[in-house]
Amino acid sequence: MPVLTLTLRAVTLIIKFALTLSLAKNLSESDFGFYGLITAVLIYSVSLLGLEYYTFAIRESLSNKKDLQGWVIKNHLLIIIITHLFCAPLGIYLIFTSQLSSYIKIILLPLLFLEHLNTEISRLLPALSHQFAANFMLFVRQVPWALVFIFLSKENESIRTLEFIFMGWAMSSLISAILGEILIKNYNLAGWEKKIDLIYIRSGFSTVLIY
């Protein structure tokens, strides 16, 4: 399994590099610049919205017995939803006052949420001793739509658009998130029925802010 995990990771990185070359070759300079800018904004936004709470959640998942791991994840999911709802008005304003097409404007906020959710799940799975599952999620998230673009963009001009790229990215992220949910449910973690504890969440933030 470690060899398979490393192979999957290597394939993902190679395809990602090939995608960058293909994008540079087949997109216009302005579209390629927009793609790089939006990608960077999404990456930094996920980091900011996460508030580094995952460090606390992972430590709790490792230290708690299996009967509380589902509860830890449940509290973490609530934080993800709250932070996105809280920041949504600012995100909507920034996106809809930009020069992006209407189609991309509609996709970006759901894509940001899916990327954040996938990132947190991918961080959690190795802590639960499921490294291969985390890498498989990354593969599903980044490789299928990239391969479609790499092999079809030469012949099909309609694919050489930001709309196709971000829609493909969003669809792959959605599939990855659904896969992550299925994987976590199949691990039979207990504690899901336990009520969300806001005092526990606040203590988590206090711990994160200290570091």
Side-chain angles (χ1 to χ4, degrees):
M1 189 65 74
V3 174
L4 188 58
T5 299
L6 289 174
T7 302
L8 194 62
R9 180 72 172 178
V11 170
T12 302
L13 291 174
I14 292 170
I15 297 300
K16 191 173 181 180
F17 178 70
L19 173 66
T20 302
L21 295 179
S22 182
L23 290 170
K25 180 179 179 181
N26 293 297
L27 293 181
S28 66
E29 290 184 7
S30 59
D31 281 353
F32 186 64
F34 264 121
Y35 169 79
L37 176 62
I38 294 171
T39 300
V41 169
L42 287 173
I43 291 171
Y44 284 113
S45 296
V46 166
S47 180
L48 289 172
L49 288 169
L51 304 171
E52 299 298 314
Y53 187 85
Y54 76 92
T55 56
F56 175 76
I58 288 175
R59 187 170 66 250
E60 288 292 294
S61 297
L62 290 171
S63 61
N64 278 308
K65 294 181 180 179
K66 224 177 180 182
D67 59 346
L68 287 177
Q69 288 177 333
W71 176 70
V72 171
I73 297 172
K74 186 177 180 180
N75 282 280
H76 194 180
L77 179 60
L78 176 66
I79 291 174
I80 295 173
I81 294 172
I82 289 175
T83 53
H84 279 265
L85 290 176
F86 182 78
C87 296
L90 176 61
I92 291 172
Y93 172 77
L94 292 175
I95 290 173
F96 281 86
T97 55
S98 69
Q99 297 180 354
L100 295 170
S101 70
S102 299
Y103 193 73
I104 296 177
K105 289 176 180 179
I106 294 172
I107 293 174
L108 282 184
L109 280 182
L111 177 58
L112 175 59
F113 176 77
L114 289 169
E115 280 296 296
H116 188 185
L117 184 60
N118 277 306
T119 298
E120 300 297 349
I121 295 174
S122 296
R123 287 167 171 168
L124 176 67
L125 289 174
L128 299 174
S129 301
H130 298 291
Q131 183 67 48
F132 176 80
N135 280 281
F136 185 69
M137 278 188 62
L138 182 65
F139 178 88
V140 170
R141 196 162 109 215
Q142 296 186 349
V143 171
W145 72 270
L147 289 175
V148 170
F149 183 88
I150 291 169
F151 289 108
L152 297 184
S153 59
K154 296 178 181 179
E155 307 296 334
N156 193 335
E157 188 175 343
S158 64
I159 289 179
R160 300 196 294 269
T161 63
L162 291 177
E163 288 79 6
F164 174 85
I165 290 168
F166 286 107
M167 175 55 75
W169 186 354
M171 290 299 296
S172 293
S173 289
L174 176 60
I175 294 170
S176 177
I178 293 172
L179 175 63
E181 179 187 3
I182 293 171
L183 288 171
I184 289 176
K185 284 185 177 180
N186 284 342
Y187 295 145
N188 295 319
L189 303 178
W192 296 105
E193 73 287 346
K194 193 172 170 19
K195 291 183 179 179
I196 289 172
D197 189 340
L198 296 180
I199 296 176
Y200 170 80
I201 292 175
R202 188 172 63 184
S203 70
F205 276 120
S206 300
T207 303
V208 169
L209 290 174
I210 291 174
Y211 298 99

